[in-house]
Amino acid sequence: MSQESSTSLRTPLGRVRGLGAAKSGTDHFWKSRVTAVANVPLTIAFVVIILMLSKRDYAGAVKLVGQPLVAILLLLFIGSATYHMRLGMQVIIEDYVHSEGKKIALLMLNTFFAIAVGLASAYAILKIGFAG
Amino acid sequence: MARTGPAERPLSPHLQIYKPSITMVMSILHRITGAALFFGTLLLVIALVALASGSSAYGTVQAIYGSFLGKLVLFGYSWALFHHMCGGIRHFVWDTGAGLERGTRMKLAWGTLVASLGLTILAFVAYLAG
Ligand code: HEM
């Protein structure tokens, strides 16, 4: 985001340099990479937890997800994955959808979906953890 | 800007003109698996909400996920997850500026595929053995 006022002596070209045409610079790229790096260990933890879950009945599953370490790892995975996938899907939409209206609608849906999935998962994990 | 009338200059060749290469296939697979994982998060949120809702809801999910079709989808999901993870690690290598030479590029592309299939089989064996 440009902090410069319209009375700046800098030329428009000079102002845009460093932030690029999208005016957000490397922000999108960087967040995509930070979440991608976080996703590697969290994904491995996630797969191990799912494998453990697959062997348990309802009571066993509740007990497992209710364990603090398991719940925290699941929450971290959900948080990082939904943030990351929202950024990734945004790029896919921007690459393929060229009608402005449709693009904006899909970008909104993308955000809604990521937040809904993230919050619903987090709520379920916390409920299991706190209710025992 | 919208173009009116036919272009007067040669346009850049598009996808279908190139002979498919392993690096191309891995590139598009990274995107396809990313998109699949996006929708695949529904599998996780459904299971978690069912687990939080009680034993009958969880039982229903277990029956669906445990069916042949369910297992097939979960197997596909796990491959997509591992493949995208390995492809992502390949991107990290490129981000440092390394691994872009022809030979290395090919090796990384094949390595991604072999590693993702290996990890998927490993997880499946762990599932069967566990
Ligand atoms: C497991 C570890 C993961 C790693 C290392 C990883 C890494 C990456 C990287 C580096 C990119 C950017 C590729 C580029 O710049 O062209 C990317 C894109 C993407 N990722 Fe991930 N990711 C991971 C997990 C996930 C998960 C769990 C999801 C979904 C729930 C996901 C969804 C996406 C999507 C939708 C894209 C956009 C694909 C594209 O633009 O072609 N990723 N990922």
Side-chain angles (χ1 to χ4, degrees):
Chain A
M1 255 153 276
S2 173
Q3 301 298 315
E4 286 171 88
S5 74
S6 53
T7 56
S8 165
L9 288 175
R10 293 184 68 195
T11 61
L13 180 64
R15 220 175 299 142
V16 86
R17 276 210 180 120
L19 285 176
K23 300 185 178 58
S24 55
T26 53
D27 186 62
H28 191 284
F29 170 84
W30 184 245
K31 284 174 176 163
S32 158
R33 286 308 189 268
V34 171
T35 51
V37 170
N39 276 349
V40 176
L42 293 174
T43 293
I44 293 166
F46 168 68
V47 171
V48 171
I49 292 168
I50 295 301
L51 282 172
M52 289 166 78
L53 271 180
S54 72
K55 297 295 150 199
R56 281 159 213 238
D57 60 5
Y58 170 73
V62 168
K63 214 168 150 203
L64 183 68
V65 175
Q67 276 174 27
L69 183 63
V70 173
I72 291 165
L73 285 170
L74 282 176
L75 285 168
L76 288 172
F77 173 74
I78 281 288
S80 183
T82 51
Y83 199 118
H84 172 87
M85 76 182 192
R86 180 178 155 267
L87 295 172
M89 189 52 83
Q90 182 190 337
V91 177
I92 297 181
I93 294 167
E94 287 166 350
D95 277 355
Y96 300 131
V97 183
H98 301 302
S99 118
E100 202 62 22
K102 220 194 263 176
K103 182 163 78 189
I104 289 171
L106 284 174
L107 288 176
M108 279 189 182
L109 273 180
N110 179 35
T111 299
F112 296 161
F113 181 83
I115 292 177
V117 164
L119 276 188
S121 303
Y123 174 81
I125 295 164
L126 292 175
K127 180 171 185 289
I128 293 163
F130 292 143
Chain B
M1 295 301 124
R3 200 173 43 234
T4 52
E8 284 138 33
R9 55 188 167 75
L11 296 172
S12 63
H14 201 52
L15 269 184
Q16 54 270 35
I17 245 165
Y18 293 106
K19 183 167 153 279
S21 66
I22 183 70
T23 46
M24 270 169 71
V25 176
M26 289 304 114
S27 168
I28 190 63
L29 270 182
H30 191 74
R31 175 156 284 192
I32 291 171
T33 52
L37 292 172
F38 178 94
F39 295 107
T41 54
L42 281 174
L43 294 168
L44 176 61
V45 70
I46 288 170
L48 285 173
V49 171
L51 188 61
S53 300
S55 67
S56 85
Y58 193 64
T60 309
V61 167
Q62 270 184 318
I64 297 170
Y65 286 18
S67 69
F68 179 73
L69 199 67
K71 280 184 189 150
L72 207 64
V73 169
L74 290 176
F75 187 77
Y77 173 84
S78 60
W79 175 74
L81 188 59
F82 284 130
H83 189 84
H84 188 88
M85 181 177 86
C86 296
I89 292 170
R90 198 169 53 126
H91 271 278
F92 301 157
V93 175
W94 287 333
D95 288 346
T96 69
L100 290 160
E101 309 77 19
R102 185 182 156 76
T104 326
R105 229 162 51 211
M106 297 303 217
K107 273 187 217 141
L108 280 175
W110 280 111
T112 308
L113 188 62
V114 171
S116 74
L117 290 173
L119 285 170
T120 309
I121 292 167
L122 192 73
F124 193 63
V125 169
Y127 167 72
L128 292 178

